[in-house]
Every structure is written in structure tokens, then in C-alpha cells.
Amino acid sequence: MSLDKTDVEKIAHLARLAIDEGDIPDYARDLNNIFGLVEQLSEADTSDITPMAHPLDANQRLRADVVTEVDQRETFQAIAPKTEAGVYLVPQVIE
Amino acid sequence: MHNKTLSELSASLHNGDISSVELTQHYLDRINTHNAELNAFITVTEDKALEQAKAADQLLQQKTAGALTGIPLAHKDIFCTEGVRTSCASKMLDNFIAPYNATVVEKINTAGMVTLGKTNMDEFAMGSSNETSFYGPVKNPWDTNRVPGGSSGGSAAAVAAKLAPIATGTDTGGSIRQPASLCNLTGLKPTYGRISRYGMIAFASSLDQAGPMANNAEDAAMLLNAMAGFDQRDSTSVERDVPDYTANINDSLEGLKIGLPKEFFGEGLDSDVEATVEAAIKTYESLGATIKEITLPNTGLAVPTYYVVAPAECSSNLSRMDGVRFGHRCDDPKDLTDLYERSRGEGFGVEVKRRIMTGAYALSAGYYDAYYLKAQQCRRLISNDFQQAFNDVDVIMGPTAPTTAFNLGDKTDDPVAMYLADIYTISTNLAGLPGMSIPAGFVKGLPVGLQLIGNYFDEARLLNIANRYQQNTDWHKQTPDAFK
């Protein structure tokens, strides 16, 4: 497997990351090295092995369906880049 | 004053030899004198610290104080602290004033401790040398041309240089133990789920765990007492009673069965580090322990497994950093995609971007089974190895890191070489087991750590094993000359 410039651009877009054109060769080299390391996993025999998603194999804990959080909109929006009338502002999405 | 243990400080505070304000001011003065050289703190909260110290002094006078009341500490800048910048050492959160406290911070405040400030770290805890911080690298107090380890490098340097009596850290692949090893500290990563992750900025949620970074095992036990416990706000927190971690710290080690995994003593381990670790294990034999060679045959899979699981989880966790609700936003975005891409492109450093892209690719359509699922299966193999080993032994020992502290800049151009700095610590996180690093000696003036790995919820036993060693050695009492 080898990731090229187009792959890196595609992955960066999937991850919503703007990266400088000039840095792409370095990212391509580093990602290829990382996936080169990861390739070693293919040698492991994992037939019939249950994937381990949680170290203690715990189940999701459930709680009663009651309101536990109080409204903290003003506190949380005080640190937002841009708000107006209690909503977060982003560039226009719908023409 | 700064060479006392927590229980000595506690005694001095309780019998009135010193006030918390005086003690806090002493550490603030030390930070003032030494931080420029080490870059251990991102934010020093002087005014808040003195306020907390005054409140602690009142409790001490009223004789309603606890064991930790009035003792200062430093928090890794990954824990949300209400009203104080919580940056995670990233440009992305340089302007982020946390609106609430992490559970760890809340519990430590309730215990009456005094927060001196927030310590430097690798950006979003991604690194093993503290060189990925937006605020610049931390220097190792034992040799300021060298790294302190990472990601909890600021906490490690602060405690090693006596700028704080103790500190919090977090460990996703070795981020408490490896810097503890490189800076001559006692660091403990508890069992996954033992300490709440609420308000601890998430890197890899199935691996992250907080813990104490201390000058000795007893101090670590005292802070763990305050940090541990069930928290309903963390869905992976474990409902299990918290013992007093200091209660059995002096128990005999007679009959203790120590397992030495042969995979931890092979190629890549510095021979002087190996000799130092072997000498430490000899000390345990003299304390009544028996040694058994064991095997963890899938150790070689740990680093590649980790570099699928951790980046996959980080790519998901860090998607919340989008320039909309908090954190960095780019100037003049032309549309929503541009807002996301440039805010994130500008806000994250190179290593964080590398890991997000690694994770995004590993999780992308068509690759999930080959990478993430395969890694989760390998994770099970690694975990099974440990359970097999714990049928025969009580504790596993080996080196914490393959070398002593390396030079600043040595590995920054080669991410994979950097990743191998955590080769002995990562498997513990994948299995969710508790692990410690304790000072075991020096090679050419640089500290070497001995790693102790226990079975699930064996923190008290690990602290006992560490404490007995420290009662018979004085490596942990060594301080770098410039910071005595």
C-alpha cells in the first residue's frame, strides 16, 4: 500500500483539515511509514478472536430518562467564536 | 520545604509549623524563578492559588482539614478548570476558558488542595517528548538539553524540579509512566475506569486514564485516594469501592511472585537501562520476592495496534473542534466547509493532523475491517497474554522506556521512531491494566524507571510494591542539582 498526493488530499478533506500544498509530500511519507508499521498486524492470526472494544468488556450503563442538566446556554456561548440571539453563527448554508 | 513528602507537609500544616499561604507562596516563588528555563507551566494561577490557600488555612485552624488540605499541586492542562484557560497545549484551545471543572479537579478541590497552575504537555496528549506543544517544548530538569518525556512532560518536569509537590497526569499509551521514568518520578496509571474522565479532554476514549505523578509511592497513594471513584458523568467509570490506598503500603513482599516478560528485555533496550532494571529486580529478591520468566507473545503487536486504535478514536473525538462552538476560528470563512477546514488546519499542529488523518483513513469506507476491526482483535490477543501471565505471577516488571531521556529534536522528524519510545507502556493501556513507573537508578546522570504492571484494580498492591522498594533505596530522593 502506498498513499500518494491525491490520497492525502482526499483524507485531509474527509477529516476537514486544510493542509498546505507544500506539506503534502511530508504527510504522505509519514502516513506511509505509519501504515507500514500497522501492516505488521496482518501477520497476526485473529480468526475466531472477538474484537475488544472496551478494556473491561463493560456494557453501556443506563440511567433513568429524567432531566439532569440545567440550561447553561449563556455560559457556553460566552466562549463561542460568534453567536447572535442565542444561536451559533456560521457562514450561510442555504441560498 | 520543597523536599518534604506529602505526609510531612500535611503534618507541618496541621501542627501549624507553616501555613498553606506560606507553602503556596514558596512554590509560586520557585515557579517564578525556574519556569522560564523549563517551560513546565502553560498557565500559573497565582491569585486563585492564594485564595484557595487562605480557605485551606481556615479549615486547618478550625481543625476540620483533611490529609491533603492546603497542599499545592499542578494539573496537566488537559483537565478542565472552571474560569481558567484549558489549552491542551494547542493553538486550537489557546482561547478556551473552561466553563466547568473536570471531576478530577472537583474532587481535588474538595480535598482542599491548592492549584498552582496548568502544566505543559504534548498537544492533545499526542507525543512522547513534549515537543508537540503549541507553547514550546518542556526541558528535562536532569539535563535541559533533553526531553522530559511526554505527553505529561510539564507535570513531570514541575515535580522533578520541585516546582510543585505533586501533579496530575494522563496516560493513553505511556504518558504518565514514560515521563516519570525520564524525570525520576513515581507515576501511576490506574485501571481503566478507576478515575473519572469527565472534563478530561478526550484523546482516545478507550485508553485514556488519569493518575498521579509524585516523588514517591506514598504521595501517589494519597493523591489517588482523592482522584479515584465512580462518577455517573463518565459512562465508562467503574462502580467499585475505593480502598484507602495508603492502608497496606507497608505490607511485606515475602512470597511475592514477579514475572519478567522476556519480550521486554530484547532488541531495542539500552544495555545500561537493562542492567539498572535487573539490579532493581535483585533488590526485590532480597525483599523476599521470587522471579519467574514469563512470555507476552503478542507484545510486538502493541505499537501497531495502538496506532490504529488511538488515531481512530482521536479523529472522532477531535471532530468537536470545528470552529463553531469554542476554540479557534479562521478569519473570513467563505463557506461552512472552509470554516471547518481552515479553523482545524490552523488550530492543530502537525502531529495532531497526522494522527487525525491516520484515524480518518483507518475508519474510512472499505478499510474498517482491515484496520480498526483487526486492531481490536489484536488488542484482545494482547490482553489475553496478560491474563495468562497473571495466572502464575502477582506483578509484571520490566523497563518503562527503552532508553533514558533523549536529546530535544532527536526524534521529531521521524514519527515512527518517536512512537517506539512507548513500546513497553502501550500494551498496558490496550489491556486497561494499571501500571507504574518508579525510580530505579541512573545511567550517565539520567534517571531510569522500573515499570510495575498489575492485574485489574491492583493499584493498592502496586503502591505497596513500589513503597517497599523505596524504603530500601534512595533513587526516588535524588533531585537535580540546579533545583535542590
Side-chain angles (χ1 to χ4, degrees):
Chain A
M1 184 198 83
S2 182
L3 299 169
D4 61 19
K5 179 172 181 287
T6 321
D7 296 320
V8 172
E9 284 171 340
K10 187 182 162 210
I11 297 166
H13 177 66
L14 282 175
R16 298 293 183 270
L17 285 172
I19 53 175
D20 290 338
E21 184 79 20
D23 292 338
I24 292 178
D26 284 354
Y27 281 116
R29 180 200 61 209
D30 292 341
L31 290 175
N32 280 317
N33 286 342
I34 293 166
F35 281 100
L37 176 77
V38 166
E39 267 327 293
Q40 294 171 28
L41 298 181
S42 61
E43 289 159 30
D45 178 6
T46 51
S47 43
D48 302 326
I49 300 292
T50 312
M52 181 171 163
H54 184 290
L56 302 173
D57 287 327
N59 294 318
Q60 183 70 46
R61 199 172 52 245
L62 300 177
R63 62 164 173 81
D65 185 15
V66 292
V67 176
T68 55
E69 292 296 319
V70 293
D71 179 12
Q72 298 186 69
R73 185 163 71 180
E74 279 172 32
T75 311
F76 293 154
Q77 291 200 334
I79 52 169
K82 220 169 183 182
T83 60
E84 193 179 293
V87 296
Y88 294 97
L89 289 191
V90 294
Q92 188 174 345
V93 178
I94 302 163
E95 294 297 330
Chain B
M1 199 187 298
H2 50 269
N3 290 311
K4 288 184 171 175
T5 66
L6 289 200
S7 55
E8 286 166 353
L9 288 177
S10 185
S12 298
L13 287 164
H14 278 84
N15 67 25
D17 288 348
I18 185 172
S19 72
S20 177
V21 168
E22 286 168 321
L23 184 62
T24 301
Q25 191 60 55
H26 177 72
Y27 279 103
L28 289 169
D29 291 346
R30 285 186 65 80
I31 294 169
N32 216 3
T33 307
H34 295 293
N35 191 50
E37 187 183 359
L38 296 174
N39 200 24
F41 283 83
I42 292 173
T43 305
V44 180
T45 49
E46 182 164 352
D47 294 345
K48 280 179 189 280
L50 290 168
E51 265 173 48
Q52 283 183 315
K54 274 185 203 144
D57 281 333
Q58 282 192 341
L59 294 176
L60 285 156
Q61 275 163 12
Q62 294 159 5
K63 307 285 177 200
T64 53
L68 293 170
T69 304
I71 296 176
L73 96 164
H75 281 300
K76 185 177 182 178
D77 204 17
I78 198 169
F79 293 100
C80 285
T81 39
E82 189 176 349
V84 175
R85 175 173 64 176
T86 301
S87 73
C88 235
S90 180
K91 181 182 176 186
M92 179 60 89
L93 297 180
D94 182 47
N95 62 2
F96 178 67
I97 308 296
Y100 63 92
N101 279 329
T103 296
V104 162
V105 172
E106 201 64 47
K107 286 172 86 87
I108 284 172
N109 285 348
T110 304
M113 295 187 83
V114 173
T115 302
L116 297 167
K118 309 292 293 289
T119 58
N120 205 342
M121 54 184 281
D122 280 296
E123 184 180 4
F124 287 106
M126 297 176 199
S128 307
S129 67
N130 217 118
E131 291 169 291
T132 71
S133 169
F134 173 63
Y135 303 94
V138 175
K139 315 290 170 58
N140 189 319
W142 291 92
D143 177 350
T144 50
N145 293 313
R146 292 176 189 269
V147 304
S151 66
S152 311
S155 287
V159 178
K162 317 286 182 192
L163 309 189
I166 195 162
T168 55
T170 63
D171 190 316
T172 304
S175 285
I176 287 175
R177 291 160 290 157
Q178 185 254 13
S181 175
L182 271 43
C183 291
N184 205 46
L185 299 184
T186 300
L188 169 65
K189 181 206 92 73
T191 306
Y192 181 80
R194 178 75 290 190
I195 295 176
S196 170
R197 294 185 297 109
Y198 179 80
M200 186 176 112
I201 296 172
F203 158 19
S205 306
S206 77
L207 305 167
D208 296 342
Q209 182 60 202
M213 301 182 76
N215 283 309
N216 60 70
E218 190 195 20
D219 288 3
M222 287 174 73
L223 187 59
L224 183 62
N225 278 345
M227 294 173 82
F230 173 66
D231 178 12
Q232 60 180 359
R233 292 180 296 184
D234 171 1
S235 65
T236 58
S237 173
V238 174
E239 281 189 87
R240 190 182 169 110
D241 289 342
V242 179
D244 175 359
Y245 290 106
T246 62
N248 296 96
I249 207 157
N250 295 320
D251 285 4
S252 163
L253 301 186
E254 200 63 52
L256 179 77
K257 285 179 280 185
I258 298 173
L260 303 183
K262 61 178 188 202
E263 294 81 4
F264 281 27
F265 294 88
E267 199 188 338
L269 177 62
D270 177 274
S271 59
D272 291 332
V273 170
E274 181 171 9
T276 307
V277 166
E278 280 168 357
I281 289 160
K282 284 260 182 314
T283 304
Y284 275 106
E285 282 187 286
S286 74
L287 296 173
T290 57
I291 309 297
K292 185 178 173 158
E293 184 180 282
I294 58 165
T295 177
L296 299 168
N298 293 294
T299 297
L301 297 177
V303 173
T305 298
Y306 180 85
Y307 280 96
V308 176
V309 174
E313 294 182 10
C314 106
S315 77
S316 169
N317 275 323
L318 270 60
S319 64
R320 74 193 58 171
M321 264 38 98
D322 59 4
V324 175
R325 289 157 301 153
F326 54 84
H328 176 74
R329 172 181 281 202
C330 67
D331 290 331
D332 304 319
K334 65 177 167 44
D335 56 32
L336 191 56
T337 303
D338 185 46
L339 166 70
Y340 291 150
E341 293 194 341
R342 276 202 295 129
S343 298
R344 289 163 60 78
E346 293 166 6
F348 293 136
V350 172
E351 178 61 19
V352 172
K353 284 184 220 170
R354 253 194 304 258
R355 295 210 196 182
I356 291 174
M357 287 196 276
T358 304
Y361 182 68
L363 291 175
S364 61
Y367 295 100
Y368 180 86
D369 285 2
Y371 292 119
Y372 196 68
L373 199 71
K374 182 78 181 178
Q376 295 286 54
Q377 289 174 311
C378 291
R379 186 172 181 180
R380 173 87 56 195
L381 294 176
I382 292 161
S383 177
N384 289 349
D385 284 354
F386 279 110
Q387 287 314 303
Q388 188 72 35
F390 283 124
N391 286 332
D392 298 326
V393 299
D394 303 312
V395 62
I396 294 170
M397 291 191 189
T400 305
T403 65
T404 54
F406 44 92
N407 283 314
L408 287 152
D410 257 10
K411 301 188 190 207
T412 40
D413 292 334
D414 186 352
V416 170
M418 186 73 86
Y419 297 170
L420 294 173
D422 292 330
I423 191 159
Y424 304 124
T425 48
I426 271 177
S427 51
T428 316
N429 298 78
L430 290 167
L433 295 165
M436 282 188 85
S437 181
I438 60 172
F442 290 81
V443 170
K444 299 186 185 83
L446 295 170
V448 174
L450 172 72
Q451 186 175 204
L452 320 176
I453 301 170
N455 211 339
Y456 298 114
F457 300 103
D458 267 355
E459 288 82 4
R461 188 65 166 148
L462 288 182
L463 288 159
N464 163 229
I465 294 166
N467 185 55
R468 292 294 291 168
Y469 180 78
Q470 292 179 344
Q471 288 171 335
N472 289 277
T473 56
D474 64 359
W475 305 118
H476 63 291
K477 292 182 179 161
Q478 308 303 312
T479 305
D481 285 339
F483 303 98
K484 281 192 165 148

